[in-house]
């Protein structure tokens, strides 16, 4: 980001990487895939690097409004200093917080989930998807709560998946009736409450019931929970769990 600031430029989009995309080894692959797509089609983007910190979403969902506001105000000061207008992120939790929580604290931006930006680039003709590599494969998509029911975005991820020439099969509970993977509300960072069955196991059972080759996700937290569910059923050698950005990057052999 400092390069743009030195040159007095504002990038086309700021890529908000997020904690998972920055530090989790599995989510880093999603970050790299998304960046490769943007770079390959000439989208000018910047990242904050070490100036980016957590949006404060986990603190807020866990009930600590004070910590959330401290983190948010710090981020907003940096974003406004760089005159950021458009933010894209591969994490629905960051997406929801930046889009819906930050305006009330002085941080108003156009915030896009990475599938929304990729769909926009597809519609503009800047992104072209050749999906022959996935012909004959069956894909099912797990709706992230904060993207779907939280913000009403169901079309963008499916529009992208449909370009892969694969068979897109819906789970019984999908879109408005989708079932949470169990990671939201800061639950990602703690053990689940006692019960008869973990919710990510319930969700994975639904995904497995449609006999997919690939379970597509649009959230690093969902990716983790579904991956753990697939491992629980010892299906990790048969079924792949991939973020939509990874699938698109694979389709183009990036």
């Amino acid at each position: 980001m400092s390069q743009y600031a030195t040159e007095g430029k504002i990038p086309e989009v700021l890529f908000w990487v997020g904690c998972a995309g920055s530090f989790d080894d599995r989510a880093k692959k999603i970050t790299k895939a998304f960046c490769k797509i943007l770079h390959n089609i000439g989208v000018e983007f910047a990242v904050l690097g070490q100036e980016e910190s957590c949006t404060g979403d986990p603190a807020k969902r866990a009930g600590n409004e004070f910590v959330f506001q401290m983190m948010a105000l710090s981020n907003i000061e940096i974003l406004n200093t760089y005159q950021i207008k458009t933010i894209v992120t591969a994490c629905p939790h960051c997406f929801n917080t930046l889009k819906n929580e930050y305006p009330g604290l002085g941080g108003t931006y156009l915030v896009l989930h990475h599938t929304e930006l990729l769909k926009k680039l597809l519609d503009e003709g800047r992104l072209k998807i050749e999906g022959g590599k996935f012909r004959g494969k069956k894909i099912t998509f797990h709706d992230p709560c904060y993207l779907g029911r939280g913000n009403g975005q169901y079309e963008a991820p499916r529009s992208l998946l449909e370009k892969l020439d694969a068979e897109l099969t819906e789970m019984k509970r999908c879109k408005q009736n989708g079932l949470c993977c169990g990671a939201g509300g800061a639950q990602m960072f703690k053990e689940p409450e006692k019960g008869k069955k973990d919710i990510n196991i319930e969700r994975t059972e639904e995904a497995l019931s449609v006999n997919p080759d690939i379970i597509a996700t649009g959230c690093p937290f969902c990716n983790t929970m579904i991956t753990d569910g697939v491992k629980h059923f010892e299906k990790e050698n048969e079924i792949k769990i991939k973020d939509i950005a990874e699938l698109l990057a694979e389709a183009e052999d990036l």
Side-chain angles (χ1 to χ4, degrees):
M1 189 67 222
S2 57
Q3 176 186 348
Y4 285 93
T6 301
E7 298 174 357
K9 294 182 180 179
I10 299 176
E12 187 173 349
V13 292
L14 175 79
F15 176 29
W16 187 276
V17 183
C19 300
S22 298
F23 301 111
D24 180 76
D25 286 342
R26 175 64 187 88
K28 286 178 187 177
K29 296 178 181 178
I30 301 171
T31 299
K32 290 177 181 178
F34 183 55
C35 288
K36 284 180 179 179
I37 294 171
L38 296 184
H39 179 73
N40 189 56
I41 62 177
V43 175
E44 281 200 352
F45 69 98
V47 297
L48 290 175
Q50 292 185 351
E51 290 185 282
E52 179 187 305
S53 63
C54 178
T55 61
D57 170 79
K60 186 175 184 68
R61 306 309 159 204
N64 197 326
E65 182 68 20
F66 176 71
V67 169
F68 162 70
Q69 291 201 17
M70 285 182 60
M71 301 177 84
L73 289 170
S74 176
N75 286 326
I76 290 168
E77 182 179 1
I78 292 169
L79 290 168
N80 290 348
T81 297
Y82 286 123
Q83 300 179 39
I84 296 301
K85 305 298 182 186
T86 303
I87 302 174
V88 63
T89 178
C91 175
H93 299 257
C94 296
F95 165 72
N96 180 71
T97 302
L98 291 166
K99 179 180 179 180
N100 298 318
E101 308 287 357
Y102 275 33
L105 297 171
T108 302
Y109 321 100
L110 173 62
V111 185
L112 301 170
H113 184 251
H114 70 323
T115 59
E116 292 180 317
L117 178 63
L118 292 171
K119 173 65 164 52
K120 179 174 179 288
L121 295 169
L122 180 68
D123 292 342
E124 293 172 350
R126 297 174 66 182
L127 173 64
K128 301 184 188 303
I129 302 171
E130 300 292 336
K133 186 174 181 179
F134 294 94
R135 192 167 293 125
K137 299 290 186 182
K138 182 185 286 188
I139 299 177
T140 191
F141 177 64
H142 166 73
D143 287 286
C145 292
Y146 281 117
L147 180 64
R149 287 175 297 156
N151 286 281
Q153 181 54 264
Y154 304 104
E155 178 196 0
R158 287 172 172 80
S159 295
L160 295 168
L161 290 172
E162 286 169 358
K163 294 293 183 180
L164 295 178
D165 293 336
E167 179 187 348
L168 181 58
T169 304
E170 298 286 3
M171 291 182 234
K172 182 178 180 180
R173 284 180 281 192
C174 64
K175 299 183 180 179
Q176 292 90 340
N177 297 316
L179 179 67
C180 178
C181 72
Q187 296 291 314
M188 179 71 184
F189 307 102
K190 58 181 283 296
E191 292 300 315
E193 289 80 2
K194 291 182 179 180
K196 295 180 179 179
K197 184 194 297 184
D198 287 354
I199 192 168
N200 71 311
I201 301 302
E202 174 81 11
R203 187 54 166 165
T204 303
E205 282 180 335
E206 284 196 4
L208 296 178
S209 71
V210 301
N211 298 312
D213 298 294
I214 300 166
I215 302 173
T217 63
C219 170
F221 290 0
C222 295
N223 193 295
T224 295
M225 301 299 279
I226 300 297
T227 296
D228 287 348
V230 169
K231 288 180 179 178
H232 173 83
F233 291 105
E234 299 182 349
K235 298 282 188 179
E236 62 267 32
N237 294 325
E238 304 167 38
I239 299 171
K240 303 300 181 183
I241 298 87
K242 295 279 188 178
D243 186 88
I244 291 177
E246 293 179 299
L247 294 173
L248 298 186
E250 287 180 25
E252 298 301 312
D253 290 324
L254 294 176

